[in-house]
Amino acid sequence: MTTYAIGDIQGCYSALQYLLEKIQFEPEQDTLWFTGDLINRGPESLQTLRFVKSLGDKHCSVLGNHDLHTLAVGYGLRKKAKGDTLDAILQAPDREELMNWLRHRPLLHHDAKLGYTIVHAGIAPNWSLTKALGLAKEVETVLRGDGMQDFLNQMYGNQPDRWQDNLTGWDRLRCITNHFTRMRFCYPDGRIELSYKGTLESPPNGLKAWFQMPHRANQELKIIFGHWAALAGATHTPRVYALDTGCVWGYALTAMRLEDEKRVSISCHSF
Ligand SMILES: [Mn+2]
């Protein structure tokens, strides 16, 4: 009965299987958490998606920006972007089933018993757990309902870049989604910066990582996230666990065992 959290796979199915061997994953007993961005950019997105789906209730995967983009392309609302490796999924006989499964994934998962929360990019510095759960649910409800296609059409864009409780409509849902799935750095005034992807060392313009913002309302939570390969797994911040170690870029794929926070990484150089 072990729970492992695994970083961004981005279609690196062979690397995932090798990592699962290395941690001696027991599908009957163990549970896997994924930080999202299961697919795209890497070579085996279809296999990855089918495998994670097959884990059923022995897994939890939160939605990442690449997963949401795949939904938009998969439902024919968006053209493929340069670098997308989604052809096998788009041509798969079970495409519809896979897309339907994917749109039912959450943006945030919190396990009170284990004491961990997982998201793809992060939780806005001024959101408490209760607030974050409520906001995630707003987007999840739309994605699972009749408004799904409209949402996927309206989801793209960087504005509004500052959360305000009185946001409404698509602006509100886009702003929530960008915080959970694309955020890395914030400006001192709380706006999110969505293009700078560097390391924590001397970022420009007074930027700070979302988890380094002062008076963070969720600093008591243990938060697991992915999305940010440049961190190479290190946040230098208690209770904040970065697990994207750049598998798709040939670096590493990382699993963390929640029971003791022990990490296992495999090199993705040869996959
Ligand atoms: Mn991402």
Side-chain angles (χ1 to χ4, degrees), residues 39-40 66-75 86 89 99 102:
I39 47 185
N40 206 10
H66 282 287
D67 306 315
L68 288 168
H69 174 69
T70 300
L71 282 171
V73 174
Y75 282 108
L86 301 171
I89 291 179
M99 292 299 104
L102 192 57

Side-chain angles (χ1 to χ4, degrees), residues 8 10 36-37 64-66 120-121 181-182 184 226-228 244:
D8 306 26
Q10 296 208 245
D37 282 359
N65 51 313
H66 282 287
H120 179 60
T181 67
R182 297 178 60 207
R184 290 187 184 88
H227 184 60
W228 194 345
D244 180 7

Side-chain angles (χ1 to χ4, degrees), residues 135-146:
L135 296 177
K137 195 164 180 197
E138 288 186 33
V139 174
E140 290 159 5
T141 303
V142 173
L143 260 178
R144 294 167 189 187
D146 294 340

Side-chain angles (χ1 to χ4, degrees), residues 29 85 92 137 160 166 177 216 225 238:
Q29 295 148 39
T85 55
K137 195 164 180 197
N166 61 3
T177 305
R216 187 159 55 85
F225 71 107

Side-chain angles (χ1 to χ4, degrees), residues 219-233:
Q219 57 188 322
E220 298 308 317
L221 284 182
K222 289 182 179 175
I223 303 174
I224 296 167
F225 71 107
H227 184 60
W228 194 345
L231 295 178

